[in-house]
Amino acid sequence: AVGNIVLIHQSRGTNAANIQLNYIAGLSGTTATFVYPLIAAYGTGAQIQILLQRTNITINSGVTLTAQAWSESTLVGGVIGLLANGTISVAGTISANAKGFLGAATTTGGAHGQQGEGTSCARGTISKSANGNGGGGGEHSGDYVTRAGGGGGGNGSAGSNGSSGGNNIEGLGGSTSGAANLSTAALGGGAGAGAANTGGASGGSGGNGGGLIVLLTPTITVTGAISANGDNGADGGGSAGSKAGSGGGG
């Protein structure tokens, strides 16, 4: 509604990780106008979340507030935003674990691993290179003897390269995303998949990245937990030599 405070986040695509607050000045169908200028050009992959301002917000012990999972089809989710002009108290848990970019799917049939989803684009491309903060897929040598693991997803720091199969064919870790001063913030990168052996073997899938938690308040007290960790990747299966996927970025 007009007057609502909103959180605008370019989650994927051009200018990914840009984030800002604004007020809705007007609405016409699905088009909103804002009180303040936008700090960047927002486009496909951007999402808007209404922040209902409270005096105080309490997450009680035994209660878990969980982010909606990121959807690579609708390009929505992965973000929790809370706004209070008093105190946000967390005795329970706020979790965005594994709610960020998606890890690459399992590899089969002697194939190279795929990239995880990242700030640049969707997952699924066969490449050892990073996909923005998404990890690259592990490759195998032409004789299928040498296989490598997928690269880890990145976020505040770069993801780790996958386990080496030799010949520089491991998936590369996702790049650093977001800024230390929080002027930009990204979803955690999805990890790449490991390469698969032949004979019905499978390379491990990559783990999902962590989501984004935004708490806006003068005072935060935490006796519980706040976490936005990435998932571990899965082990390869079948014949020996198939490699695991890596973990997603937190």
Side-chain angles (χ1 to χ4, degrees), residues 107 111-114 128 136-141 144-151 161-172 192-197 203-204 241-246:
T107 307
H112 300 304
Q114 299 175 351
K128 74 173 186 178
E139 296 183 346
H140 56 63
S141 63
Y144 301 103
V145 172
T146 310
R147 289 154 297 281
N161 293 342
S163 57
S164 177
N167 303 323
N168 298 316
I169 59 175
E170 64 269 22
L172 301 181
N197 204 344
S242 293
K243 291 295 185 178
S246 286

Side-chain angles (χ1 to χ4, degrees), residues 77-99:
V79 180
I80 296 177
L82 298 178
L83 174 63
N85 60 16
T87 300
I88 295 178
S89 302
V90 184
T93 301
I94 300 177
S95 173
N97 293 342
K99 301 300 184 183

Side-chain angles (χ1 to χ4, degrees), residues 7-111:
L7 178 69
I8 307 170
H9 185 243
Q10 184 70 48
S11 301
R12 205 180 78 184
T14 303
N15 294 324
N18 274 314
I19 188 168
Q20 73 175 97
L21 296 177
N22 218 317
Y23 289 87
I24 295 178
L27 290 169
S28 177
T30 58
T31 301
T33 55
F34 300 103
V35 172
Y36 300 109
L38 298 177
I39 62 173
Y42 293 93
T44 301
Q47 57 179 317
I48 297 175
Q49 185 175 121
I50 295 173
L51 298 180
L52 299 178
Q53 182 170 315
R54 311 295 186 185
T55 302
N56 298 301
I57 297 173
T58 300
I59 310 299
N60 290 321
S61 178
V63 173
T64 299
L65 177 63
T66 304
Q68 174 186 342
W70 167 259
S71 168
E72 64 178 339
S73 57
T74 64
L75 305 182
V76 170
V79 180
I80 296 177
L82 298 178
L83 174 63
N85 60 16
T87 300
I88 295 178
S89 302
V90 184
T93 301
I94 300 177
S95 173
N97 293 342
K99 301 300 184 183
F101 290 133
L102 304 183
T106 298
T107 307
T108 59

